[in-house]
Amino acid sequence: MKYDYIIWDYNGTIIDDAWVAVAAENIVLRDHGLSEIDMEFYLRECEMPIENFYNKIYDFSKCDFEEVADAFLRNYDRISVQAKPFPEVVSAIESFSRLGLQQSVISGFETGRLVKSLKEFRLDGYFGFMSGSDDVNCGPKSERAKRVVEKNGYDPKRTLFIGDMYHDYETSRYVGADCILIAKGHQGADVLRSYKTVRVIDSADELMDLIK
């Protein structure tokens, strides 16, 4: 096996919630008298930190970032009860566990909310470490990923980071780990593949062949 340790991103990688983000954002946009966005626009323009994306759709001389972000989160919370994990990702997590790989997960969710969500899907038992965020701006994951690696004694050269956005690749590079991005989350396949150094796959079904 190439890897002993797997670090998963949560939103858009394990859980299928890009459509939730679009629906929640459109409520906020309507409330501000602004044009709605569609999934094509979202997958093309979304990026982290989220304020970079918001600058494309809001005029913050006329509204407050934290107010917009808080409204989005309230809408997201209400709609996200309908979101489910990708079945093929669940299968990969189960397969990695059977192979004895140590797995952790990082999310833009607040930690308690992340743990609750994983418990609801009966996935919490697969992860030795779960790291959430209290940052409304969904800022860089790099330092949290570094803490995951150091706290758990992961060898970065034997660690694979699995995500859905270019920021996940940047995070993996920061800690010295390899990265695979699954193009089913918050950034489109064309966007991800425009970064020539990033390994991009279309489905988690491809993961097993890539970790051997």
Side-chain angles (χ1 to χ4, degrees):
M1 302 293 293
K2 292 181 183 178
Y3 306 105
D4 297 314
Y5 316 102
I6 307 292
I7 301 176
W8 290 89
D9 168 62
Y10 190 59
N11 304 88
T13 303
I14 292 177
I15 188 171
D16 180 8
D17 69 343
W19 67 272
V20 177
V22 172
E25 204 66 72
N26 280 334
I27 296 172
V28 185
L29 288 166
R30 287 197 300 271
D31 288 345
H32 285 79
L34 299 171
S35 299
E36 295 184 18
I37 60 174
D38 58 20
M39 183 63 76
E40 182 180 0
F41 176 90
Y42 181 79
L43 295 178
R44 184 178 68 247
E45 301 296 340
C46 187
E47 59 178 300
M48 293 293 167
I50 201 64
E51 190 168 4
N52 291 350
F53 172 58
Y54 275 9
N55 282 327
K56 302 173 184 178
I57 57 178
Y58 293 99
D59 180 353
F60 287 118
S61 68
K62 299 179 180 179
C63 60
D64 178 72
F65 168 74
E66 290 199 5
E67 177 188 343
V68 165
D70 286 343
F72 167 80
L73 288 174
R74 289 193 299 272
N75 294 324
Y76 179 97
D77 284 345
R78 179 172 53 82
I79 302 169
S80 65
V81 295
Q82 304 173 57
K84 304 294 182 184
F86 292 104
E88 65 273 20
V89 170
V90 174
S91 295
I93 292 169
E94 293 171 344
S95 295
F96 291 168
S97 179
R98 286 194 295 270
L99 290 170
L101 304 184
Q102 295 185 42
Q103 300 181 81
S104 295
V105 60
I106 292 180
S107 173
F109 278 176
E110 180 272 329
T111 299
R113 185 177 172 207
L114 170 63
V115 173
K116 179 182 178 182
S117 183
L118 287 166
K119 284 183 177 179
E120 288 175 354
F121 298 128
R122 300 182 180 178
L123 292 175
D124 55 307
Y126 292 103
F127 300 106
F129 197 81
M130 293 168 275
S131 174
S133 172
D134 296 319
D135 181 6
V136 71
N137 193 23
C138 292
K141 300 175 186 172
S142 52
E143 288 300 327
R144 286 194 292 126
K146 186 177 180 180
R147 287 196 295 271
V148 170
V149 169
E150 293 176 348
K151 185 177 180 68
N152 292 282
Y154 290 0
D155 177 356
K157 295 180 180 179
R158 299 285 298 173
T159 300
L160 176 65
F161 198 107
I162 304 174
D164 69 305
M165 300 186 73
Y166 183 69
H167 179 56
D168 295 318
Y169 171 76
E170 294 177 315
T171 299
S172 73
R173 298 296 296 169
Y174 183 80
V175 301
D178 284 349
C179 182
I180 295 175
L181 300 181
I182 306 173
K184 295 185 74 172
H186 293 262
Q187 282 186 312
D190 291 344
V191 173
L192 296 178
R193 290 193 169 97
S194 70
Y195 300 102
K196 302 301 182 182
T197 57
V198 182
R199 188 189 304 178
V200 181
I201 60 176
D202 294 314
S203 171
D205 290 332
E206 303 172 51
L207 284 172
M208 289 305 297
D209 291 335
L210 296 175
I211 68 168
K212 296 177 181 178

